[in-house]
């Protein structure tokens, strides 16, 4: 990862997006965070700038095409280059498939899928003009198997993986690499309920060969690699970061041996 390069991170104020911002800015990358929580975004900006990191927050809704075009052009104007994009912005809703509302389904798709595409399209001309770039989209383990009451989220993430592959093929000639990551159960605010519920936690761990939750910094480290020149011949792939969950037998593993 070369110091001085510029990365846009959507959803970079909290959770896994924030971990990516922390990782990249610590390595000298200049960061533009795009989000819709301006007060928290400005607080994040001030906190990291006080640590000597180059981080600027931009308020923008990734599902709004005009807002995306505006904010990306502002970022290029302010930073003078555009090397990396990490699409971490996303929402999750839960509803039975038989009763999920069209409006709710479309909202999830508009942010998780369409928002990612709009950001990719917006950065494309700048990256292509300047000789290339690297993009990482957020998939999910739920892109790879079905789950009860999560049809909207799982649909959006499955489509993100296919979008990633298509963009990788389309833009390879422009030296723009596009990859994805599919995090499993990671210790974030989103998973706090699972980590506090001993029954549900054991159900998760029983399906995870490494028998633990992942850490946000472990996800950020993989994204760091995919963005960097160390991954210069890697494009169109999705990397699970799940402690072996997707690799294992879907039948629950035996309880861990007691010492």
């Amino acid at each position: 990862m070369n110091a001085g390069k510029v990365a846009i991170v959507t959803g970079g104020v909290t959770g896994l997006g924030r971990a990516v911002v922390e990782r990249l800015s610590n390595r000298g990358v200049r960061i533009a965070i795009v989000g819709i929580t301006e007060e928290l975004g400005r607080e994040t900006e001030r906190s990291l700038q006080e640590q000597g990191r180059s981080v600027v927050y931009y308020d923008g809704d990734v599902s709004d095409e005009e807002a995306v075009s505006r904010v990306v052009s502002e970022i290029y104007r302010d930073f003078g280059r555009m090397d990396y994009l990490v699409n971490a912005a996303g929402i999750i809703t839960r509803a039975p498939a038989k009763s999920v509302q069209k409006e709710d389904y479309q909202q999830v798709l508009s942010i998780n899928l369409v928002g990612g595409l709009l950001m990719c399209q917006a950065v494309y001309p700048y990256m292509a003009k300047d000789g290339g770039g690297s993009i990482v989209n957020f998939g999910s383990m739920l892109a790879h198997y079905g789950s009860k009451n999560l049809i909207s989220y799982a649909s959006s993430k499955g489509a993100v993986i296919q979008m990633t592959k298509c963009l990788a093929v389309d833009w390879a000639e422009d030296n723009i690499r596009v990859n994805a990551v599919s995090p499993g159960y990671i210790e974030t605010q989103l998973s706090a309920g699972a980590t506090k519920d001993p029954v549900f936690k054991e159900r998760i761990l029983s399906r995870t060969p490494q028998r633990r939750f992942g850490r946000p910094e472990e996800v950020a480290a993989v994204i760091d690699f995919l963005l960097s020149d160390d991954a210069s011949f890697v494009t169109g792939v999705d990397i699970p970061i799940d402690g072996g969950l997707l690799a294992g037998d879907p039948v629950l593993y035996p309880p861990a041996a007691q010492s």
Side-chain angles (χ1 to χ4, degrees), residues 32-148:
I33 300 175
V34 176
I36 57 172
T37 54
E38 185 168 12
E39 183 177 352
L40 187 55
R42 297 299 178 196
E43 180 183 324
T44 300
E45 176 187 82
R46 287 192 298 272
S47 173
L48 293 176
Q49 286 181 354
E50 288 173 358
Q51 299 175 31
R53 307 187 192 203
S54 178
V55 176
V56 180
Y57 173 81
Y58 294 81
D59 202 55
D61 181 352
V62 298
S63 67
D64 183 329
E65 188 170 4
E66 290 186 5
V68 167
S69 178
R70 171 188 55 78
V71 76
V72 170
S73 66
E74 288 177 1
I75 291 169
Y76 192 79
R77 177 201 65 199
D78 294 345
F79 286 87
R81 60 188 298 159
M82 199 168 291
D83 303 286
Y84 312 126
L85 167 65
V86 179
N87 279 314
I91 62 171
I92 184 169
T93 62
R94 292 176 171 82
K98 65 183 178 182
S99 58
V100 65
Q101 298 297 302
K102 181 180 74 172
E103 293 77 12
D104 294 337
Y105 193 81
Q106 289 177 329
Q107 182 187 28
V108 174
L109 291 178
S110 71
I111 295 173
N112 296 2
L113 175 63
V114 179
L117 176 62
L118 292 176
M119 286 299 302
C120 288
Q121 289 176 323
V123 304
Y124 168 79
Y126 299 106
M127 287 185 175
K129 176 173 68 73
D130 291 343
S134 184
I135 298 171
V136 175
N137 297 316
F138 264 76
S140 167
M141 59 184 173
L142 291 172
H144 301 275
Y145 62 81
S147 185
K148 193 176 183 65

Side-chain angles (χ1 to χ4, degrees), residues 5-249:
K5 290 197 172 183
V6 174
I8 299 177
V9 182
T10 71
V13 174
T14 60
L16 297 181
R18 174 62 182 261
V20 172
V21 170
E22 294 270 5
R23 169 89 180 196
L24 298 184
S25 63
N26 188 50
R27 291 163 66 77
V29 177
R30 295 181 291 158
I31 307 290
I33 300 175
V34 176
I36 57 172
T37 54
E38 185 168 12
E39 183 177 352
L40 187 55
R42 297 299 178 196
E43 180 183 324
T44 300
E45 176 187 82
R46 287 192 298 272
S47 173
L48 293 176
Q49 286 181 354
E50 288 173 358
Q51 299 175 31
R53 307 187 192 203
S54 178
V55 176
V56 180
Y57 173 81
Y58 294 81
D59 202 55
D61 181 352
V62 298
S63 67
D64 183 329
E65 188 170 4
E66 290 186 5
V68 167
S69 178
R70 171 188 55 78
V71 76
V72 170
S73 66
E74 288 177 1
I75 291 169
Y76 192 79
R77 177 201 65 199
D78 294 345
F79 286 87
R81 60 188 298 159
M82 199 168 291
D83 303 286
Y84 312 126
L85 167 65
V86 179
N87 279 314
I91 62 171
I92 184 169
T93 62
R94 292 176 171 82
K98 65 183 178 182
S99 58
V100 65
Q101 298 297 302
K102 181 180 74 172
E103 293 77 12
D104 294 337
Y105 193 81
Q106 289 177 329
Q107 182 187 28
V108 174
L109 291 178
S110 71
I111 295 173
N112 296 2
L113 175 63
V114 179
L117 176 62
L118 292 176
M119 286 299 302
C120 288
Q121 289 176 323
V123 304
Y124 168 79
Y126 299 106
M127 287 185 175
K129 176 173 68 73
D130 291 343
S134 184
I135 298 171
V136 175
N137 297 316
F138 264 76
S140 167
M141 59 184 173
L142 291 172
H144 301 275
Y145 62 81
S147 185
K148 193 176 183 65
N149 297 332
L150 285 168
I151 186 170
S152 301
Y153 183 78
S155 296
S156 71
K157 293 302 184 177
V160 165
I161 302 304
Q162 288 303 111
M163 179 185 76
T164 296
K165 293 179 180 180
C166 290
L167 292 176
V169 172
D170 279 352
W171 294 351
E173 62 188 17
D174 298 300
N175 195 33
I176 298 174
R177 296 184 298 104
V178 189
N179 293 292
V181 294
S182 283
Y185 288 99
I186 311 297
E187 292 176 340
T188 65
Q189 185 176 0
L190 189 64
S191 66
T195 59
K196 292 177 181 178
D197 182 337
V199 176
F200 189 56
K201 180 178 181 179
E202 180 53 36
R203 286 177 58 192
I204 293 170
L205 297 181
S206 71
R207 291 194 60 187
T208 305
Q210 287 194 339
R211 293 191 178 277
R212 66 174 177 86
F213 284 70
R215 299 185 299 274
E217 58 267 28
E218 292 176 307
V219 176
V222 175
I223 292 173
D224 187 359
F225 163 72
L226 288 173
L227 293 174
S228 76
D229 290 343
D230 288 339
S232 58
F233 202 53
V234 179
T235 194
V237 305
D238 170 54
I239 298 182
I241 311 171
D242 63 0
L245 187 149
L246 290 176
D249 191 321

